[in-house]
Amino acid sequence: MEATQAPHAVGQLTQWAAAAADDPATGGGYFDAYSTVGLLAVVGVLFVAVAFTANRLMRPVAPTPEKLLSYECGVDPVGEGWAQTQIRYYVYAFLYVIFAVDAIYLFPWATVFAAPGYGAGTLVEMFIFIGFLAVGLLYAWKKGVLEWT
Amino acid sequence: MHLAYPAVLAALLFCIGLYGVLARRNAVLMLMSVELMLNAVNLNLVAFDVWLRDTLHAGQALTLFTITVAAAEIGLGLAIVLMVFRSRGTADVDRLRDLADSIAPPTDNTPDSAPDSPPSQDADPVKGKAAA
Amino acid sequence: MNAVLIALLLLPLLGAAATLVPRAFGADPAVRDRRALRFATAVTGLVLLLAVALAAGFDHGNPGRMQAVTDVRWIPALDVRLHLGVDGISLPLLVLTALLTFLCALYSTRRLPDGPGTPSPLAFTGLLLLLEVGMLGTFAVLDLLLFFLAFEVVLIPMYFLIARWGGEGRGPAANRFILYTLLGSAVMLLGLLLLGSKAGTFDMTALATRHGAGLSHTTQVIAVLAIGLGLAVKAPMWPLHSWLPDAHTAAPTVGSVLLAGVLLKMGTYGFVRVVLPATPDGAATLAPYLGALAAVGIVYGSLACLALARPGAKGDLKRLIAYSSVGHMGFVLLGIATLTPTGINGALFANIGHGLITGLLFFLVGAIKDRYGTADLDHLAGATTATGAALYGRAPRLGGLLAFAAVASLGLPGLAGFWGELLAMFGSFHPAAGLSRPAYLVFMALAGLGTLLTAGYLLTVVRRVCMGDPADAPRLAAEPAGTTQQPAIADIKPYEAAAWTPLAALTVLAGLWPAVLLGLSDPAVKSLLGGG
Amino acid sequence: MNLLDALLRCVAALAAFLVIPLVIGQTEHKVMAHMQGRLGPMYAGGFHGWAQLVADGVKFAQKEDVVPSGADRRIFQLAPAVALLPYLVVLIAIPLGPNGLVGQVVDAGLFFVLAVMGIGVLGSLMAGWASANKFSLLGGIRTAAQLMSYELPMLLAAASVAMAAGTLSLPGIVDAFHWWWVPWQIIGGFVFFTAGLAELQRPPFDMPVADSEIIFGAYTEYTGLRFALFLLSEYAGILVLCALTTVLFLGGWHGPFSDGLGWLWTLLKIFVLAFVVIWLRVTYPRLRQDQLMRFAWTVLIPLSLAQLALTGIVKVVIS
Amino acid sequence: MTATTTPHQLADLAVANPGALIQSVDWVAIAPPLIAAVAALGILVADLLLPARRKPLLGWAAVAALALALLALIPLRHGDRATFCLKTVAATTDNGGCSYVADHFTLVFQLIALGGALLTALLSVHTVDEQRMPAGEYWFLLLGSATGAALLPASRDLATLIIALEVVSLPAFALVGLRRDRLGGEAALKFFLSSVTATAVMLLGVSFVYAAGGSLHLAALADGLDHAPAQLRHLAQAGAALTLVGFAFKVAAVPFHFWLPDTYTGAPVPVAAYLSVVSKAAGLAGIALVTTLAFRPYAHTWGLLLAILAAATMTVGNVAALRQRPDTPRSAVRLLAWSSIAQAGYLLVPLAAAGYGHDGNPLGATAAYALIYAVVNLGAFAVVAAVGRTAAENRLDDYRALFSRRPASALALGFALLCLAGLPPGVVGVFAKVVVFRAAVDAGLGWLAVVMAANVVVALYYYLVWTAKLFTPQATPQPQAQAQAQPEPQPQAHRMPAPLSAAVALTAVGAVVLSLAPQLVLQVVSTTLF
């Protein structure tokens, strides 16, 4: 459904959007900061690439089957490397996703709540929000999710 | 920036996601595909928001909500997948046929998922309920 | 006055509700059942008394006017009013309904189908009373949606009567009955809604007064098609009749009686009450088709009966009477299709006549089936013997009554069956202006042929069942336990006599003094047809 | 924006990225040695072994690069770069001094910094997964769990500062700083710094790379330059953490004569914090995995929530 | 906004005009969902503090909270409250700029949501206990979902709408799987995956619509779509269609229905009841809001779309229901599941009519039908839940002769089924259908009305067969003795738990009362809802 629809629609959008592209708010200026960041990232990648290339020239290459074996206390490895691990870890991933996403509301709010027009009411609202987080945490705690058994 | 870039990117992402949902049979991969779709939507929303110069920033606000929704969905989804995996040892949605419409005479248990699932105590809901 | 009509509907409804009250009839099953049946008789009797009172209080000088009118708001949102009333068209049908229901209840106190798998008579009582509510309601309401509702109310109890107390093949028969009629009534509802929403009111009297004004021809035709379909299924019109034989064959006696006696009339009544006055243009357009189908139905019904009556055809007597109903109702429909007062009066008369006669016939056949254990004509008559089953000889009064009902049914002058069919054919001879006369003459000729065939099969039946020498009557494998020896077919029992005599008497009365009914219906019909 | 200017800023950032971590590393050698009553490296380069880390680097560069046969080759090779580069990118957004002495002002810089730092965890996860080694996998998963657990208090503490300053821009935050913010935000600062340490898997939060237990966690299979990059990323991480703590909680360039010497104040504060990091390594024993997790969820997060509340109340009261 | 990236730019972005954003909140207006939400949270906390033997209290607390939330609807009965309003949003209607409007439409659907949740709660008081589901979580999730269902009909902007929809759905996924057994997991996973995909598709549609209309407020969106440049028309239409797809999943309209039977059968029966009524009503309210308010300019497009959906939904639902075998495990719930799909088809009819009609009030028909459907369907589920306690397999065959064992339950179920079928004596069911038919006929959707008529007849068959089964005497124990391998369920079935009886009684009395006085419900047909 998308494949047929989207390009068509986008084609039309572009015509209309052409004017908007010149606008400073939507156009070039906004992205300058990030273009520098991008440049730095490129520089970083270059650095790593150069380092590895140089490394390739300098290092010996003499693989043997023993050398390429996975390391496991000095004896030959037993079984697969990708073993199943304790599920416990997953719970933390879980908690994190839930809580961290809540934090995205915090940042926009944090920058404006003291601005004129918002006031204490906004603060209370956020306290309620934080209260939710706290209840969630309390819940997880009491249910023993945070215990490492 | 031209609106076309984010819009096309979003469309591509969404298509990939949709393909993933339709083609993949592993529940976790399907979940990931759905996330891809949602993020395509986010991209769309933010791009349109900027393009419309919406003073309310409704698109951005909705993006925040979408992110939250996506997080909640993924959290819940993984929990459900995990539960299914624990009870049957597979996360392949095509193999979940216990509840499928059985026009044929009822068989007592599902033959296809029985071998690889350890007979856990509460695997059989009927038994479990009867005990309760 | 209007309290009577409300009480008429409320009484059986409350009675039906009372059967749901736990332990209202005592805890002991046997006692409970007996009480329940007596209760049914009492309630239906009371209803009959009320109906008679209603008829007595009816202003016979002015039967074209709605009387005993109640008109209160019920569902303002849908513009549904609790609008009740009777006129010369509905009054006879109301009385007939009350009478037949009472007789059925009376009959059932002694002779209820039982055996393994039949539920308790308590449930029977509830269903019978509910059925009566629906039947009476159909004839008493004056609001399209209420009419539909009442039309539908009868379905569930009748379904259960057939499916629970019926004979062989009752499950499929009941399903078929309800699916056919419901499909019809669903389409009918659409038609009613179309009519109501285009005309702006659901009130039947208002619609009749308006006489189709403000409705476009297309609307009228569509409305008539849709409404007519629902009514035709119920009537039943050929080729929509095929639920009827199965339903009758499987239904218990009481069910058959009410089905034939009342339920079929609801369809034809709907034509007269709703279709003709509210959408005259549409009706005029479609009337020839209706007439044609009716004529085909008459012939078809008779031929089917003839085929069933043949020796060796394994014809079921109940099925035969059911088919004969198709033919008889064909006369009614033909009368309606003429769009003339004569034809419609005839149709209404035939309605009543058929209700009385066929009700009686089904009672009789039910009794025969009880005694012989089967209603298979070949079994009854003995497949090989040329002579009949000798019912005259073994149970003279029963046989006599059966012969009486049969000849009444075939339209012997002087009995109830005669006038309706005669008038319908008269109407067909002079159809309303704008209808094709030649076509109607053909219909009339077909109808005449139908009367001949009807006489043929009914007489065959009488010959095969009633006549013959008792000595070499066939031995029946399924003799009921009570009748151990060959000639000991029980004759009419007192309770049977009580249930049947009124019907027979009224058949004679209506045949001899048709003016009673026609005087009632004629002014009403004329006013419905727009003073014509 | 001038391309040359931008390039210059990038090169400067790269230079800082390559030099300062080495300095911190060398400092660690010496400080640890002194704290433990030993000499530490003394020979390379002559004066107190100043070139030790350079020598180490040369050694790593000359070593064979082994990729285990069972490994997921591509990912295995890519992992060190993924672990390293985010810290480089982050550096450019950190203000050194007033009046635009910063690699690049990124609006919503706080967001940017925290988000990019989050990518670093991928490197460890990739390494742990791709090695096809049980220890590595375990280490990788531990890393992930730990990073996730500590990311949250860190975010919340950072949010508190953003509330106080009313902006997400890093220079903006430093601009808005007053001395009394230090006591006001002290809890947040503690949470942030602690959580940052845990994110870096520095002792005492080094369970994921506990060499005595799971050899070296995600990095077990790594040799040569790739291993060196992981090491480099750890020290770059220390730099970034200390710099962020400085900017957010310690006022960055604020201090006497800050107009001219602001950048010096920033560097000084960074080095003091780096010293603390080293100090902690020497002082505390390693936490157990369960203690590690519980500490995050039951101590740091409630603390950071409390700090948020405190910040909000004070902010509303004074405005 | 300037090109320079000042340090405070984000702050500028956020504070467009604080005065327009901050307003006082009408607490009375938002009380119904708020009470449910607070109760949900309270129960979650209380669950942590209560000792195990006091856990049953939680259920009663949930019931009380829902009853309270229902009471909170009373002050709103005039239907003129709105809150969270923005004066800056351009809109033609009075409450166009408001995100939360408590008009009559809202009230009706909140009544369904909260009332349905209340009945579900009554149904589940014993289920939670018997199936050893975690009490705190169960009640929290139920109340949470009810909150969303109560919020949804009140929301008048797409963001709130979507959040509300998710608040309905997410706890529902968990509720389905809360038994943590094989079937529950499968049911939850299927439900989850299809629903989540639908949400993503819907959000894509929303983003398109937003691009074309320039707002998320429904009223403003309609204006925006009206004046959208021609190039964007296709985009907007695609967006509208995709948005509808998302809601169609929620109401399980064909072809987005496949998850439903599996989910209902795998879920605990009260949860299935909840899904079939409350969740479905929420989706329906969403469709109604989106189509009639936001997509008004494209009325003909979605009108036809919904008409086709409705026809397909009822047909597929009924045909599949016909094919159910009475002897398979869980066939009772399965039949109800398919029947609920069919009913969803009927519910969509007036909405489709709204796309065509200019006069009349088709939405009222949907609201009325939904109300009636809620009562009778919950009634059916209540009895099914009661029977399920003794007959674990819950086959249709287990309902044979229910009348002789439990007359009251059998009568209640029979009445509910007749109401669902639309047959007297279930008068209210008849009038529900009449209302829907009328909406279709008024809008000139004759073909849809005929399709529906045929479907009503088809549906009648399976409802009636089931009803008949209730009164069929028990066959003498024969070959199917193995089905009754468990000793006659009779002895342990002596008493129904009080809350379950209460639920059965409430719905049955409700259905009977409504049958006597349909005006109570049908008055919504004659009032303008918005």
Side-chain angles (χ1 to χ4, degrees):
Chain A
M1 197 183 309
E2 280 327 288
T4 59
Q5 191 57 56
H8 183 49
V10 167
Q12 293 180 332
L13 273 181
T14 53
Q15 296 166 14
W16 214 50
D22 299 332
D23 180 76
T26 56
Y30 183 78
F31 296 97
D32 275 357
Y34 289 100
S35 54
T36 311
V37 171
L39 192 65
L40 180 62
V42 171
V43 168
V45 170
L46 276 179
F47 163 70
V48 173
V50 168
F52 277 124
T53 319
N55 178 236
R56 184 163 298 168
L57 299 175
M58 290 158 75
R59 74 188 179 207
V61 180
T64 63
E66 290 80 15
K67 206 188 277 180
L68 294 182
L69 224 51
S70 292
Y71 177 77
E72 200 161 283
C73 312
V75 296
D76 284 356
V78 180
E80 267 254 309
W82 288 291
Q84 281 199 3
T85 42
Q86 213 192 349
I87 201 65
R88 191 55 57 184
Y89 294 102
Y90 151 89
V91 174
Y92 289 103
F94 220 49
L95 284 173
Y96 170 71
V97 168
I98 293 163
F99 280 88
V101 165
D102 289 335
I104 65 169
Y105 293 98
L106 228 44
F107 281 92
W109 167 80
T111 57
V112 301
F113 85 99
Y118 289 88
T122 321
L123 187 70
V124 171
E125 282 170 14
M126 188 47 72
F127 275 3
I128 293 171
F129 181 76
I130 293 176
F132 273 107
L133 289 190
V135 167
L137 193 62
L138 182 73
Y139 175 79
W141 194 352
K142 276 280 199 173
K143 286 278 163 178
V145 175
L146 305 179
E147 299 296 321
W148 196 275
T149 44
Chain B
M1 188 166 61
H2 213 282
L3 182 59
Y5 302 120
V8 169
L9 179 61
L12 277 177
L13 271 180
F14 194 89
C15 292
I16 296 172
L18 197 63
Y19 171 79
V21 169
L22 298 178
R24 295 294 193 154
R25 269 13 273 164
N26 184 305
V28 176
L29 289 175
M30 288 171 79
L31 267 180
M32 289 166 71
S33 305
V34 169
E35 289 299 299
L36 218 52
M37 291 160 78
L38 287 174
N39 282 319
V41 172
N42 286 341
L43 198 55
N44 251 352
L45 283 172
V46 173
F48 291 142
D49 183 290
V50 172
W51 174 66
L52 288 165
R53 277 167 282 172
D54 187 349
T55 49
L56 280 175
H57 294 292
Q60 291 190 20
L62 184 54
T63 304
L64 287 189
F65 288 127
T66 311
I67 293 171
T68 318
V69 164
E73 280 178 353
I74 206 77
L76 202 51
L78 280 177
I80 292 171
V81 172
L82 197 72
M83 184 172 77
V84 171
F85 189 83
R86 274 178 175 167
S87 68
R88 330 186 164 222
T90 177
D92 186 340
V93 280
D94 280 350
R95 295 177 66 179
L96 305 180
R97 313 255 339 135
D98 280 11
L99 290 169
D101 234 337
S102 51
I103 301 301
T107 47
D108 212 36
N109 214 333
T110 45
D112 54 353
S113 57
D116 51 9
S117 66
S120 68
Q121 198 223 319
D122 56 354
D124 188 348
V126 178
K127 223 185 283 169
K129 230 191 280 178
Chain C
M1 190 65 182
N2 46 15
V4 177
L5 205 49
I6 295 175
L8 207 60
L9 295 179
L10 216 52
L11 201 62
L13 189 64
L14 291 178
T19 60
L20 292 180
V21 177
R23 278 184 254 268
F25 296 87
D28 177 38
V31 176
R32 185 192 65 190
D33 292 351
R34 228 177 309 125
R35 282 191 192 156
L37 289 171
R38 272 194 225 128
F39 175 71
T41 318
V43 172
T44 50
L46 215 53
V47 169
L48 178 63
L49 280 182
L50 279 174
V52 170
L54 187 68
F58 190 79
D59 177 6
H60 289 265
N62 202 355
R65 188 174 59 85
M66 275 301 159
Q67 302 185 20
V69 175
T70 307
D71 192 4
V72 290
R73 281 146 50 101
W74 187 34
I75 314 174
L78 290 179
D79 194 21
V80 175
R81 307 181 68 83
L82 213 57
H83 191 176
L84 308 173
V86 286
D87 64 358
I89 295 176
S90 46
L91 183 67
L93 286 165
L94 271 177
V95 177
L96 173 71
T97 305
L99 175 68
L100 278 178
T101 319
F102 170 67
L103 295 181
C104 285
L106 191 67
Y107 182 77
S108 299
T109 48
R110 308 303 291 273
R111 182 70 201 92
L112 184 80
D114 48 8
T118 48
S120 79
L122 186 62
F124 175 83
T125 303
L127 291 173
L128 187 71
L129 292 177
L130 189 61
L131 187 65
E132 184 170 30
V133 177
M135 297 187 298
L136 290 174
T138 308
F139 299 127
V141 298
L142 291 173
D143 184 283
L144 286 185
L145 289 183
L146 275 189
F147 177 75
F148 169 75
L149 194 67
F151 206 78
E152 297 279 275
V153 167
V154 299
L155 291 183
I156 291 292
M158 186 48 89
Y159 170 85
F160 277 109
L161 277 185
I162 299 175
R164 288 285 89 85
W165 282 272
E168 206 174 318
R170 56 194 180 179
N175 286 337
R176 191 178 244 216
F177 157 73
I178 200 156
L179 289 180
Y180 260 76
T181 37
L182 202 88
L183 182 62
S185 52
V187 176
M188 179 175 84
L189 173 62
L190 293 183
L192 294 178
L193 286 172
L194 180 70
L195 183 61
S197 71
K198 293 286 180 196
T201 176
F202 285 108
D203 192 273
M204 288 190 202
T205 46
L207 285 168
T209 334
R210 218 171 287 183
H211 213 61
L215 294 172
S216 74
H217 187 73
T218 327
T219 309
Q220 291 203 18
V221 170
I222 296 176
V224 171
L225 260 181
I227 299 173
L229 186 68
L231 298 173
V233 168
K234 195 77 145 210
M237 179 181 80
W238 185 88
L240 302 173
H241 66 280
S242 56
W243 59 272
L244 183 76
D246 287 344
H248 270 308
T249 313
T253 303
V254 172
S256 292
V257 169
L258 288 177
L259 192 58
V262 183
L263 260 61
L264 305 191
K265 276 68 199 174
M266 288 162 56
T268 47
Y269 173 77
F271 272 109
V272 177
R273 173 65 77 197
V274 179
V275 174
L276 296 191
T279 55
D281 293 353
T285 309
L286 293 170
Y289 304 100
L290 180 64
L293 292 173
V296 172
I298 295 169
V299 178
Y300 174 86
S302 320
L303 287 176
C305 288
L306 267 183
L308 284 173
R310 261 186 310 118
K314 297 226 172 278
D316 185 293
L317 205 48
K318 289 179 96 171
R319 177 174 286 269
L320 184 142
I321 297 173
Y323 271 113
S324 87
S325 287
V326 175
H328 287 302
M329 293 316 282
F331 280 103
V332 179
L333 289 171
L334 180 63
I336 291 168
T338 61
L339 301 183
T340 56
T342 319
I344 295 170
N345 275 321
L348 291 171
F349 196 97
N351 255 351
I352 303 293
H354 178 253
L356 293 170
I357 299 167
T358 312
L360 181 58
L361 267 175
F362 273 117
F363 267 133
L364 290 167
V365 172
I368 291 173
K369 192 173 177 179
D370 285 343
R371 285 163 170 76
Y372 286 85
T374 177
D376 188 306
L377 204 48
D378 287 341
H379 259 289
L380 290 178
T384 50
T385 48
T387 59
L391 197 59
Y392 286 152
R394 298 166 79 186
R397 269 170 286 185
L398 185 62
L401 202 53
L402 180 65
F404 168 76
V407 292
S409 179
L410 66 82
L412 192 73
L415 293 176
F418 172 71
W419 296 107
E421 299 184 6
L422 186 73
L423 284 174
M425 290 201 280
F426 265 169
S428 187
F429 188 68
H430 280 299
L435 299 177
S436 151
R437 179 122 195 263
Y440 275 84
L441 287 178
V442 173
F443 301 158
M444 193 189 75
L446 283 174
L449 176 67
T451 29
L452 289 182
L453 296 175
T454 307
Y457 68 75
L458 281 172
L459 293 176
T460 312
V461 167
V462 169
R463 179 176 59 75
R464 292 188 66 197
V465 175
C466 299
M467 301 187 181
D469 184 0
D472 48 73
R475 292 184 177 277
L476 293 169
E479 289 276 29
T483 56
T484 47
Q485 279 308 308
Q486 176 55 163
I489 288 282
D491 210 341
I492 295 183
K493 295 168 190 161
Y495 74 93
E496 290 174 334
W500 301 342
T501 316
L503 291 177
L506 283 174
T507 305
V508 176
L509 181 69
L512 292 180
W513 195 16
V516 175
L517 282 175
L518 291 175
L520 272 177
S521 64
D522 190 48
V525 166
K526 285 196 170 123
S527 82
L528 278 186
L529 286 179
Chain D
M1 176 98 37
N2 195 325
L3 182 66
L4 199 66
D5 176 50
L7 213 55
L8 207 66
R9 285 161 187 268
C10 292
V11 171
L14 185 63
F17 177 74
L18 289 179
V19 173
I20 301 178
L22 290 192
V23 176
I24 295 173
Q26 184 67 18
T27 314
E28 183 169 35
H29 281 166
K30 300 309 286 187
V31 169
M32 275 177 67
H34 285 290
M35 284 181 171
Q36 293 164 343
R38 55 186 172 91
L39 288 179
M42 287 300 280
Y43 299 102
F47 178 71
H48 281 272
W50 66 268
Q52 178 61 45
L53 281 182
V54 180
D56 281 349
V58 172
K59 178 193 72 178
F60 278 129
Q62 287 176 331
K63 280 200 169 177
E64 188 181 356
D65 184 37
V66 176
V67 180
S69 50
D72 194 334
R73 208 177 166 79
R74 274 294 203 8
I75 296 177
F76 183 86
Q77 289 176 328
L78 208 58
V82 175
L84 184 64
L85 287 181
Y87 293 119
L88 171 62
V89 175
V90 165
L91 267 188
I92 201 167
I94 294 175
L96 201 55
N99 308 322
L101 188 56
V102 52
Q104 174 66 52
V105 177
V106 180
D107 67 316
L110 186 55
F111 242 2
F112 172 76
V113 166
L114 291 174
V116 173
M117 279 175 72
I119 299 175
V121 63
L122 273 183
S124 294
L125 258 185
M126 284 163 71
W129 169 258
S131 296
N133 181 315
K134 297 183 192 84
F135 297 116
S136 298
L137 189 60
L138 200 56
I141 289 175
R142 281 186 182 184
T143 308
Q146 181 167 332
L147 262 64
M148 284 175 175
S149 299
Y150 283 91
E151 184 88 27
L152 193 60
M154 203 170 169
L155 276 176
L156 293 175
S160 155
V161 177
M163 272 166 71
T167 175
L168 291 177
S169 156
L170 292 176
I173 290 173
V174 185
D175 266 337
F177 183 81
H178 296 285
W179 66 268
W180 47 269
W181 280 30
V182 174
W184 181 26
Q185 300 290 338
I186 186 86
I187 304 172
F190 166 73
V191 169
F192 186 86
F193 190 65
T194 317
L197 273 186
E199 290 226 7
L200 295 174
Q201 303 159 33
R202 288 287 301 179
F205 303 109
D206 60 343
M207 196 66 200
V209 292
D211 50 353
S212 55
E213 196 180 314
I214 51 173
I215 309 161
F216 213 67
Y219 318 127
T220 304
E221 297 287 356
Y222 281 88
T223 59
L225 186 62
R226 292 180 207 281
F227 184 67
L229 291 189
F230 275 122
L231 282 185
L232 180 59
S233 75
E234 180 177 344
Y235 289 99
I238 295 176
L239 168 64
V240 168
L241 171 67
C242 296
L244 275 180
T245 314
T246 304
V247 167
L248 296 178
F249 295 95
L250 300 177
W253 62 72
H254 285 286
F257 320 110
S258 61
D259 281 347
L261 300 175
W263 58 275
L264 209 58
W265 280 115
T266 310
L267 277 184
L268 184 68
K269 287 172 184 172
I270 290 174
F271 276 108
V272 169
L273 283 176
F275 174 76
V276 173
V277 172
I278 297 161
W279 190 10
L280 288 173
R281 169 174 180 182
V282 181
T283 311
Y284 285 101
R286 181 185 298 146
L287 287 176
R288 234 168 38 222
Q289 184 74 29
D290 60 330
Q291 295 168 332
L292 203 70
M293 290 301 178
R294 205 163 50 206
F295 183 65
W297 289 99
T298 61
V299 178
L300 291 186
I301 289 180
L303 275 181
S304 54
L305 288 177
Q307 171 73 65
L308 267 182
L310 178 67
T311 311
I313 291 170
V314 171
K315 183 81 178 173
V316 166
V317 167
I318 61 173
S319 65
Chain E
M1 233 172 288
T2 58
T4 53
T5 53
T6 63
H8 296 281
Q9 189 177 3
L10 197 91
D12 292 345
L13 276 172
V15 194
N17 178 9
L21 291 172
I22 307 298
Q23 46 340 89
S24 63
V25 175
D26 185 349
W27 295 99
V28 178
I30 64 169
L34 194 63
I35 289 172
V38 169
L41 208 64
I43 282 177
L44 192 65
V45 176
D47 175 49
L48 300 176
L49 308 175
L50 278 180
R53 67 194 162 76
R54 309 290 287 279
K55 289 283 164 78
L57 281 179
L58 296 175
W60 293 111
V63 169
L66 285 166
L68 196 63
L70 275 172
L71 287 181
L73 289 175
I74 294 175
L76 305 176
R77 65 188 178 283
H78 299 300
D80 52 0
R81 284 174 182 263
T83 185
F84 301 118
C85 299
L86 288 178
K87 292 178 191 69
T88 51
V89 173
T92 46
T93 49
D94 295 346
N95 294 330
C98 296
S99 292
Y100 187 104
V101 176
D103 52 19
H104 285 119
F105 176 85
T106 305
L107 290 186
V108 170
F109 278 94
Q110 282 186 340
L111 181 65
I112 296 175
L114 295 171
L118 178 63
L119 286 171
T120 310
L122 286 176
L123 283 188
S124 19
V125 167
H126 80 280
T127 318
V128 172
D129 238 17
E130 284 175 5
Q131 304 194 353
R132 296 207 207 101
M133 288 189 278
E137 282 82 347
Y138 185 90
W139 297 114
F140 166 72
L141 292 168
L142 185 66
L143 284 170
S145 184
T147 305
L151 172 62
L152 193 136
S155 51
R156 291 296 181 276
D157 74 73
L158 282 175
T160 317
L161 202 60
I162 286 165
I163 296 305
L165 195 62
E166 286 302 307
V167 175
V168 180
S169 311
L170 287 172
F173 305 145
L175 279 176
V176 169
L178 205 58
R179 219 166 36 193
R180 299 208 195 106
D181 57 8
R182 248 178 111 80
L183 299 180
E186 178 179 339
L189 187 61
K190 284 178 174 172
F191 183 23
F192 174 80
L193 283 176
S194 47
S195 182
V196 164
T197 314
T199 306
V201 171
M202 178 172 71
L203 276 168
L204 185 75
V206 168
S207 79
F208 286 171
V209 171
Y210 172 61
S215 176
L216 288 179
H217 279 85
L218 298 180
L221 197 54
D223 290 350
L225 290 179
D226 237 352
H227 303 121
Q231 304 101 303
L232 290 177
R233 256 193 100 77
H234 290 291
L235 185 73
Q237 278 170 344
L242 291 180
T243 311
L244 285 188
V245 166
F247 283 113
F249 258 99
K250 288 286 183 284
V251 297
V254 171
F256 313 111
H257 66 286
F258 44 82
W259 55 273
L260 187 139
D262 292 1
T263 302
Y264 282 18
T265 33
V269 175
V271 175
Y274 178 83
L275 288 179
S276 77
V277 169
V278 179
S279 171
K280 195 156 273 200
L284 206 70
I287 294 189
L289 285 174
V290 167
T291 50
T292 52
L293 290 184
F295 300 157
R296 231 184 316 113
Y298 304 133
H300 270 86
T301 317
W302 54 257
L304 181 65
L305 201 69
L306 284 181
I308 294 171
L309 273 186
T313 304
M314 58 180 86
T315 310
V316 169
N318 279 327
V319 169
L322 275 185
R323 293 176 65 218
Q324 289 305 312
R325 294 165 49 98
D327 54 349
T328 51
R330 296 174 290 280
S331 47
V333 177
R334 213 173 174 82
L335 187 71
L336 280 180
W338 282 112
S339 108
S340 86
I341 292 177
Q343 300 279 351
Y346 306 149
L347 281 165
L348 286 174
V349 169
L351 293 182
Y356 287 87
H358 307 289
D359 50 347
N361 187 15
L363 279 189
T366 291
Y369 196 101
L371 264 173
I372 293 164
Y373 166 75
V375 173
V376 296
N377 205 43
L378 278 172
F381 265 110
V383 179
V384 168
V387 172
R389 294 180 65 239
T390 48
E393 294 254 285
N394 219 336
R395 298 163 308 157
L396 283 178
D397 283 344
D398 293 331
Y399 291 80
R400 210 182 151 100
L402 187 66
F403 183 68
S404 61
R405 281 177 282 146
R406 291 207 199 122
S409 293
L411 284 175
L413 179 59
F415 197 73
L417 289 174
L418 289 182
C419 284
L420 281 173
L423 261 191
V427 176
V428 72
V430 182
F431 278 111
K433 298 238 161 34
V434 166
V435 165
V436 171
F437 273 129
R438 203 175 67 159
V441 170
D442 279 350
L445 276 170
W447 65 270
L448 188 57
V450 172
V451 170
M452 181 175 161
N455 268 293
V456 168
V457 178
V458 171
L460 176 86
Y461 178 77
Y462 58 82
Y463 288 125
L464 207 57
V465 166
W466 193 356
T467 312
K469 224 178 245 304
L470 299 175
F471 301 99
T472 312
Q474 190 68 277
T476 39
Q478 267 178 44
Q480 354 158 282
Q482 45 115 357
Q484 279 114 340
Q486 318 115 296
E488 257 316 288
Q490 198 60 11
Q492 71 212 33
H494 35 272
R495 278 199 72 77
M496 271 212 293
L500 194 56
S501 320
V504 173
L506 266 179
T507 49
V509 169
V512 170
V513 166
L514 288 181
S515 286
L516 293 177
Q519 173 67 12
L520 289 179
V521 168
L522 296 180
Q523 58 185 344
V524 303
V525 176
S526 50
T527 56
T528 47
L529 289 173
F530 286 119

